[in-house]
Amino acid sequence: MSTENKTKKKLLYITDQQEYTDHGTIGPLFNGYLKKYYDVNIVYFTKFKNSFQVKGTDYVVPQQYKKEISCYMDSKGIDLSSYAYVFVRNKPDILKNILENRDRYGYKVGYRLSFPKTEEVYEAHKAKNSNTILDTVKNYFTKQSKKNLLSQCDLFMPTSKDMEDTFFADTGVRSFPLPAGLDPARITPHRESDGDERHFIYVGTLDSLREFEKVLVAFTRVNSDNWHLNISTLDSQFARNVMQKYPTISNKVSILKADTFSELMVQIDDCDVGIALLPNIPIYSTAIPAKTMDYYTCAIPTLLTDNPKNRTLFSDKDALYCNFGSDEIVAKLEKIIDMSQEEIAKMGHAGQEKLLAHKRNYEIMAKELSEELESL
């Protein structure tokens, strides 16, 4: 009997996202392809309202009730015992509450870790040499507490196995990595950018840990002026403040903001090459950057840090590589500027086809996740 003809089990996914967030993974995988196998409800949070709301299959919860989410949902007539699975995204305090109520409602618990945020903060302080002994001790106990919660889950869904092994090894929990992927419904062929310049795009934040200023410095040293850089970031003002340090290239850089995923796709589609260079430290070298998937959705090749993790998926035929050093970045940028549109298009399409053929395809990932859940 087909899945469509059976009564579907129910799955509740409690995100850490605010209402109206257009998140690349939540939308196509959990609120999209997985609905072929389960009746899925997504919980979002809001800072701006004090009342519970139902929007289609989504629930919107006032942020102040996050730590008592089970009791709150129950008070609003949501029968948690009707769910076979309850997933939590990124928030240990919410996970703690869901685990405490598991026996009462009888659901299985999954924890989705998209990025180890606590470790990112710790690494940021470490990079600035501002960590104290207290910071180190606090980070250790925070990590141990998170591991203890993880060990109680039925399924752990990290972004990659490498991330799990590096930050959350030895929990004993069943693991099913869920990396960022492509939505087959959104993919587009490579489109040549307008004009003669080579158009680059960087999507993301410009914080000190990511060291994006090293890339900006490299652009100031590029001999050719036949290029343009678009920076798409949610904090446009911060990006403008950063750019004030680089007046010699200010006319070569545009700062953009995308309020929706569709807007972001239009911005990427207007460019030739995506930039996903990150420092080669564990927080970044254990998972392929999610923005890479956004770039290949539009079949534009990506400039990646040359490390073993990135090499597990891409080759020199479908991605661009360099070490995360100023001289290497300058040399690579100049080489990319000299590449033909045909070379770039070929590389972008090759990467897109590779991702669609492998597990980096949300339609395939939804099927495999459903099979994993049924085997619990």
Side-chain angles (χ1 to χ4, degrees):
M1 184 181 293
S2 69
T3 304
E4 287 77 10
N5 292 331
K6 293 190 294 185
T7 300
K8 294 178 184 176
K9 293 181 181 177
K10 294 179 67 178
L11 187 152
L12 183 68
Y13 186 30
I14 305 173
T15 76
D16 58 342
Q17 300 292 304
Q18 289 291 313
E19 181 187 11
Y20 305 124
T21 300
D22 191 2
H23 191 279
T25 304
I26 294 172
L29 180 58
F30 291 101
N31 217 1
Y33 295 108
L34 198 61
K35 287 189 171 182
K36 178 179 179 181
Y37 309 98
Y38 300 103
D39 282 334
V40 180
N41 296 108
I42 309 286
V43 175
Y44 295 95
F45 293 93
T46 180
K47 299 176 183 176
F48 309 107
K49 298 169 187 172
N50 294 315
S51 61
F52 177 73
Q53 292 187 308
V54 179
K55 295 189 173 182
T57 58
D58 297 341
Y59 301 134
V60 182
V61 172
Q63 189 162 292
Q64 62 263 36
Y65 299 110
K66 287 168 78 169
K67 293 184 180 180
E68 51 192 73
I69 187 70
S70 298
C71 179
Y72 182 80
M73 298 286 282
D74 194 43
S75 72
K76 298 303 175 182
I78 305 302
D79 181 12
L80 292 181
S81 65
S82 69
Y83 290 96
Y85 311 100
V86 176
F87 289 175
V88 176
R89 184 180 191 269
N90 286 339
K91 293 295 186 181
D93 50 353
I94 299 177
L95 177 63
K96 184 174 185 290
N97 181 266
I98 291 299
L99 286 167
E100 288 172 348
N101 287 277
R102 174 171 51 187
D103 290 343
R104 176 183 178 186
Y105 294 108
Y107 48 67
K108 293 186 184 298
V109 178
Y111 186 55
R112 164 70 172 144
L113 185 66
S114 65
F115 199 76
K117 303 287 184 182
T118 304
E119 286 69 25
E120 181 184 32
V121 172
Y122 180 75
E123 290 289 346
H125 289 162
K126 185 176 176 182
K128 294 178 181 177
N129 296 315
S130 60
N131 272 342
T132 64
I133 293 175
L134 185 61
D135 290 327
T136 303
V137 172
K138 183 180 178 182
N139 183 66
Y140 172 80
F141 282 107
T142 299
K143 188 182 292 187
Q144 291 305 116
S145 174
K146 195 179 291 184
K147 283 185 176 182
N148 179 52
L149 289 173
L150 270 179
S151 68
Q152 300 174 54
C153 292
D154 298 289
L155 190 66
F156 178 37
M157 295 164 283
T159 301
S160 72
K161 187 68 169 65
D162 288 335
M163 177 191 290
E164 178 187 3
D165 291 344
T166 300
F167 297 105
F168 303 104
D170 306 320
T171 61
V173 69
R174 186 166 175 172
S175 173
F176 185 79
L178 278 178
L182 299 190
D183 179 356
R186 286 187 179 268
I187 62 165
T188 61
H190 181 89
R191 185 182 72 80
E192 189 173 319
S193 64
D194 298 328
D196 297 327
E197 293 177 324
R198 175 70 65 243
H199 287 77
F200 296 87
I201 185 166
Y202 171 80
V203 175
T205 59
L206 277 66
D207 60 62
S208 59
L209 189 60
R210 286 170 175 79
E211 294 186 53
F212 186 70
E213 287 192 55
K214 188 171 286 188
V215 177
L216 293 175
V217 169
F219 272 112
T220 67
R221 294 175 51 198
V222 169
N223 289 321
S224 171
D225 63 355
N226 193 34
W227 60 272
H228 191 88
L229 171 65
N230 287 338
I231 298 173
S232 183
T233 181
L234 294 178
D235 195 340
S236 304
Q237 187 55 54
F238 181 78
R240 282 190 283 271
N241 293 340
V242 169
M243 284 309 304
Q244 289 178 4
K245 304 179 197 176
Y246 306 95
T248 60
I249 59 170
S250 60
N251 65 325
K252 306 291 288 180
V253 178
S254 298
I255 296 170
L256 311 173
K257 182 180 179 181
D259 292 320
T260 67
F261 191 70
S262 295
E263 287 180 21
L264 178 62
M265 291 297 98
V266 171
Q267 293 173 1
I268 293 172
D269 204 31
D270 286 339
C271 297
D272 303 304
V273 173
I275 297 176
L277 290 170
L278 290 164
N280 209 6
I281 57 177
I283 197 78
Y284 296 131
S285 61
T286 54
I288 292 167
K291 70 191 70 176
T292 304
M293 304 303 146
D294 297 336
Y295 300 147
Y296 281 104
T297 295
C298 299
I300 74 169
T302 302
L303 176 55
L304 293 159
T305 306
D306 199 347
N307 63 37
K309 183 61 182 177
N310 287 333
R311 289 276 183 183
T312 61
L313 187 56
F314 297 105
S315 71
D316 291 316
K317 293 180 179 179
D318 42 48
L320 301 148
Y321 287 102
C322 73
N323 293 322
F324 197 75
S326 295
D327 291 344
E328 292 90 343
I329 296 172
V330 171
K332 197 65 180 186
L333 291 175
E334 291 181 338
K335 184 174 180 180
I336 293 170
I337 291 168
D338 289 338
M339 290 174 67
S340 69
Q341 281 286 358
E342 290 75 19
E343 287 178 282
I344 288 174
K346 183 178 180 181
M347 187 173 283
H349 283 130
Q352 187 184 79
E353 289 171 6
K354 176 182 283 186
L355 291 169
L356 288 173
H358 289 76
K359 292 183 180 181
R360 295 306 183 100
N361 174 330
Y362 286 131
E363 189 169 19
I364 294 173
M365 289 161 66
K367 180 177 183 296
E368 293 184 346
L369 176 57
S370 71
E371 292 169 350
E372 185 75 12
L373 291 175
E374 292 308 305
S375 68
L376 288 177

